[in-house]
Each structure stands twice: as C-alpha cells, then as structure tokens.
Amino acid sequence: MEALKRRVPFWFVFVVLFGFALLQIVLNPFGFSDLTQRYTQDISNLLVSGPYLYPTTGHGETSVALVEDETLSRLGMPWPWSYGAQARALDTLLVYKPRAVVVDMMFVDPRKDDTLGELVDEIARYKRAGVPLYFTGATDRPPGSPPLRAELAATHARVLDPTILVNDGVVRQYPVTGDCFDARPSNRVCLSLALQVYKDIYPQAPLVPPDGLMELVWGTRADASNSKWMRVTDASGKIHDCGNNQGIGLLRRLYLAFFDPSAVRSLCPYTSVIPAEALLEGRDDTDITSLALNRIVFYGASLSGVQDKSFTPVNGLIASVFVHAMALDNLITFRGNPEQNVVSLGGFTLDNNTVQAFAIIPIILILTWIHMRGLRRRRVKPARGAMLEYFAEKALRVAWHWFTFALALAIGLGLTLASGLSVANWVEVVFVSVALGAMLLIGLPDAIWGYLHHIAGGIPHFPAAQEEQGS
C-alpha cells in the first residue's frame, strides 16, 4: 500500500480534492458556509474594509438630519410632531440648498392635524426650488391602502420603498428592487430607496443594478463633526462622546474583533449628523451649512419605542436611516457599481456557490501538480544529500499552508476587483483551500488510492529495484 500511495494518478487527487470542496461549498454541511461567509464579512468590515480600505469618496455627499430623544427633551415637544413642525424642519433644510432630501418617516396615519396644509405647501416649495424630495411609503399596509396620506400623495411627491434586509439579525445586504408606490401597472420592477436616489441624482455615473443583492461595505470611522453635538448611550446606559471612541490600536483592535466585537464597534455613525433641533430653532451654524449644502440629506429619527432601528456589523443597534445613507454612500463610492453577491459573465448570472466552485479549480490544479512532483521525488531514493532533502521537505510542509492561503486569497481579491464580488462571497474558498492543503500534507488522497487499489487488485508486483526505491 505504501508503494501504491506513491503512484496515485493526477486525476484521482484532483477528483478527491474537488469532491471535498464541492461538499463544503454547495452542500453547506452544518451551516459552515453561511457562518464562514457572514462572520468573515463582519470581521472584514471591522478590521480591514471599514477602517482602511473603504474610500471616503461618498462621505462628503450625504448627511442625516436626526430627531433623537434628546431632541424632544430639549425642545419640549411630544412625538409625533405636528405636520407644521415637520414642514418647518424641511423648510430650514431647503434654505441650506441640499442636492436632495429623503424623508425616512411614515406619513400614512390619517390623524387630525390642522397644520397638514403647511407640509403640502412645503412640498410645493421644494418643487419650485428644483430640489428632489422623497418620502418613504408604508410597506406593511393592508392590500389596497395607500402608502402615504392621500393629501400628501396628491402632491405627486416621489414615494420609495424603505425595506431593509436582515440576515440573522444583522444588516449586511441591501435590496435592489422594491414596491412601486404609484398608479401605474403593478407588474413593473422599481428600484429600492438608495438605488433610485442614486439613479436620479448621479446620471453622470450610470447605475449598474446588481443582478443579486447589494453587499454593504460599512465605514467605521465616525464623522468628526458628530463629536460637536452628538452623544450616544451604550448597552449599560453609559453616555459617550462621539469624539473619544476611535482610539483603539491595530493589535488591540485585532484581538477585540475576534473575542469581543462589541468593544470594537463604533456607537457613533459614519455618516455626518445634523441635529434636528437646529432646524426648528433656525440656528445659524456654519457646520450645519457645510453638512447640508449640495448634499443628499436623509431626514429620520432615532427614538425609544419606535421600532425603526437595525443592527449593523460596525455600529451595533442604530437608526435604520443610517442603513439607507450607507447604501447610498456605497453607490457613490463605487460609482454606481456596488459590491454584490453574484457574478455576471457573458450574459449569465452565476450565484455564490457556482463562482466559488469555479474559483477553487485552479487552486486544486496547482496544489495537485505540486503534490505530484513531491511524490515523484520520493519514488527515487537519493544517493547523496539525504539530510538536505529531509530539511527541505520539512520547510516545504511549514510553507504549504501559507501558500494555499495566499493562493486562494489572491483569487478572491481578483474576483472583487474584476467583478465586484463581495468578500463574503469568496472567502470560503480561502478556508476550503487551507483544508485541501492539510489533506495533501497527510496524504489523504494517496491513502485512499492505495487502499482502494489494494482491495480491488490485491498486492501488486513491483520489480526489486522499484520496491527498494519505493520503500
């Protein structure tokens, strides 16, 4: 059997390795594939993509005007605000000359409010100023009911679908399409909120709608301007300043990302925040002017008791309006071609598993070729230099895992650069490649071949010289 192991054919090693890879990638035993992809995506956002690799191209293009519990307390105003108060906040925003405003609040309940006409008039002012104004529609309404109050819908304001995708309780992906909130035929396909806003506002960099789902890349460095007026509360109730939570060194950040991710997450948002009370008070602040002028401003709320928060890999629980802002930031940064969970080649769309199965083939071919060369060397007993050969083989074994890791990582990075495939959708190739390297180190395909060949054909006869060389 030892002699047979050294004579395993190339094709058999390839089949064994490829079969094991397919088992891990396609069948997803014990949920290993899903866990690996999403866990690595979160770690990548915390350690690499967010703090170091994600460009700031879109950071200066978006802001969030935020209503918080402290806002209500300082102004002495109950929630929900009257339509007149909402109109005053939007009117102040209009004075700052934003590029567009997205209202991430639901105006669907037919509550009695004599100031409703003020909000209707404000929508008209936005139209006269040529500033796009978007509203979010209710997606959980009964069939046939409008997504927006009839009086507001009559203004023909744009209404978008604010749906957010949650994967195992965490927001990592963003939808591409959503409901069409208009009277036109219902069989049409409409874009989701961030994609539609990008398509309208940035025609110079045309949108390339993903064929699957948009994979979000989360920025981790909180905007410096937020430290001026924003305070956040952690899970223990302790209040933090947004300016003092970024001082974690690289080594400590690496340790905490694996063993205590909550300590690495930034409680403060990446997107710059405009305090809503400044809009109602008409405060003249140069910082607010710079945060609104020629930007796309999302107007939303982060309030206790209001179920409009989402858990993100880098912030923990945060107002859902920041998810839409981050999605638009991704679209601006990647010029309308965001990372996604599929690859399109020649008119065909390949899903995550298919891409990984193809990506692992060149890795297996290279590993098998190197392994076969080593087997051929071991068939011939060296006359001299045996000790050097011994240490060289030991060094090769040490470097083997690093080589397979680097090879798979290079292919994965190539997929990201060439086709925009997210880290989460190719990282399993890296882990599977390391496992394949380990299988070759212990000679598993060789042992299987030797055992099967021995059972099927008995003990083969080798010439004496070959037996001596093979023993």
Side-chain angles (χ1 to χ4, degrees):
M1 287 183 60
E2 288 298 319
L4 287 169
K5 286 166 59 176
R6 295 189 182 98
R7 289 162 173 79
V8 59
F10 184 98
W11 67 265
F12 186 81
V13 177
F14 177 87
V15 168
V16 171
L17 296 185
F18 188 63
F20 176 82
L22 285 182
L23 175 68
Q24 293 293 324
I25 293 172
V26 178
L27 298 184
N28 189 24
F30 309 108
F32 175 78
S33 296
D34 294 339
L35 291 174
T36 299
Q37 292 167 7
R38 294 308 167 191
Y39 178 74
T40 308
Q41 183 183 27
D42 294 350
I43 296 299
S44 174
N45 271 295
L46 284 171
L47 290 180
V48 183
S49 304
Y52 302 113
L53 298 184
Y54 184 63
T56 58
T57 310
H59 188 255
E61 301 286 318
T62 61
S63 295
V64 171
L66 193 64
V67 181
E68 300 180 277
D69 293 315
E70 293 76 9
T71 307
L72 305 182
S73 177
R74 283 192 289 265
L75 295 176
M77 298 173 63
W79 188 262
W81 284 350
S82 67
Y83 291 114
Q86 301 284 14
R88 289 199 302 275
L90 291 174
D91 192 57
T92 304
L93 273 179
L94 184 60
V95 171
Y96 290 123
K97 298 179 180 179
R99 182 176 291 189
V101 174
V102 181
V103 181
D104 189 25
M105 298 179 185
M106 298 295 180
F107 295 116
V108 64
D109 296 329
R111 59 188 173 95
K112 181 174 177 54
D113 188 338
D114 295 335
T115 65
L116 178 60
E118 297 180 29
L119 184 55
V120 173
D121 293 340
E122 188 60 37
I123 296 173
R125 276 192 285 272
Y126 268 79
K127 289 183 177 181
R128 289 194 296 270
V131 177
L133 179 63
Y134 302 88
F135 287 87
T136 54
T139 57
D140 57 351
R141 67 196 190 284
S145 59
L148 196 67
R149 280 198 66 154
E151 297 88 343
L152 301 179
T155 64
H156 302 290
R158 294 292 302 275
V159 185
L160 303 178
D161 187 345
T163 299
I164 291 175
L165 298 178
V166 179
N167 184 296
D168 291 333
V170 183
V171 176
R172 303 181 178 99
Q173 298 172 312
Y174 195 80
V176 175
T177 60
D179 288 343
C180 301
F181 296 130
D182 53 37
R184 286 181 285 178
S186 58
N187 59 350
R188 295 181 302 112
V189 175
C190 293
L191 295 174
S192 58
L193 188 150
L195 275 73
Q196 185 61 60
V197 173
Y198 178 86
K199 182 179 179 181
D200 294 344
I201 307 302
Y202 294 92
Q204 70 277 12
L207 174 68
V208 182
D211 294 308
L213 294 174
M214 177 177 164
E215 296 280 355
L216 290 174
V217 181
W218 288 91
T220 60
R221 299 184 180 275
D223 189 273
S225 65
N226 295 343
S227 61
K228 181 176 180 180
W229 44 63
M230 193 173 187
R231 303 292 182 270
V232 291
T233 305
D234 61 20
S236 64
K238 185 178 179 181
I239 299 177
H240 297 267
D241 188 323
C242 278
N244 61 13
N245 66 340
Q246 301 295 318
I248 301 178
L250 177 60
L251 293 179
R252 180 166 173 77
R253 189 180 190 90
L254 180 65
Y255 171 82
L256 292 174
F258 286 96
F259 298 102
D260 187 12
S262 61
V264 188
R265 296 188 185 107
S266 173
L267 298 175
C268 298
Y270 174 80
T271 309
S272 54
V273 174
I274 301 172
E277 61 264 28
L279 302 179
L280 287 182
E281 294 171 350
R283 189 187 308 168
D284 187 11
D285 193 312
T286 56
D287 288 334
I288 297 178
T289 302
S290 64
L291 296 179
L293 179 62
N294 204 32
R295 292 197 184 196
I296 300 172
V297 180
F298 291 82
Y299 177 47
S302 177
L303 303 170
S304 301
V306 177
Q307 303 301 318
D308 193 20
K309 294 187 178 182
S310 302
F311 195 92
T312 76
V314 302
N315 298 115
L317 198 63
I318 198 170
S320 296
V321 65
F322 290 105
V323 177
H324 298 300
M326 196 71 242
L328 183 60
D329 193 301
N330 276 209
L331 291 166
I332 298 171
T333 299
F334 298 123
R335 297 187 60 80
N337 191 14
E339 292 187 358
Q340 54 182 327
N341 66 337
V342 297
V343 169
S344 297
L345 296 173
F348 295 95
T349 299
L350 305 180
D351 62 19
N352 178 22
N353 290 338
T354 305
V355 171
Q356 292 187 104
F358 279 114
I360 202 74
I361 290 177
I363 298 174
I364 295 176
L365 289 173
I366 294 173
L367 294 181
T368 304
W369 177 75
I370 295 175
H371 181 67
M372 296 302 295
R373 288 195 62 187
L375 288 179
R376 284 195 295 270
R377 285 198 305 268
R378 287 199 292 271
R379 289 178 194 170
V380 180
K381 190 175 182 179
R384 61 180 62 182
M387 184 171 293
L388 179 62
E389 181 76 15
Y390 172 80
F391 284 109
E393 184 175 346
K394 291 297 182 183
L396 179 63
R397 285 177 175 269
V398 173
W400 187 259
H401 277 86
W402 290 106
F403 173 76
T404 56
F405 178 85
L407 182 64
L409 188 62
I411 290 179
L413 292 175
L415 287 171
T416 297
L417 296 175
S419 59
L421 190 68
S422 168
V423 171
N425 302 112
W426 58 256
V427 72
E428 190 184 359
V429 173
V430 178
F431 291 98
V432 172
S433 298
V434 173
L436 297 180
M439 291 172 61
L440 293 177
L441 276 178
I442 64 176
L444 182 60
D446 317 341
I448 295 175
W449 172 262
Y451 178 76
L452 293 178
H453 201 77
H454 173 64
I455 294 298
I459 301 176
H461 174 72
F462 295 108
Q466 291 185 11
E467 285 192 25
E468 180 182 355
Q469 292 175 354
S471 60

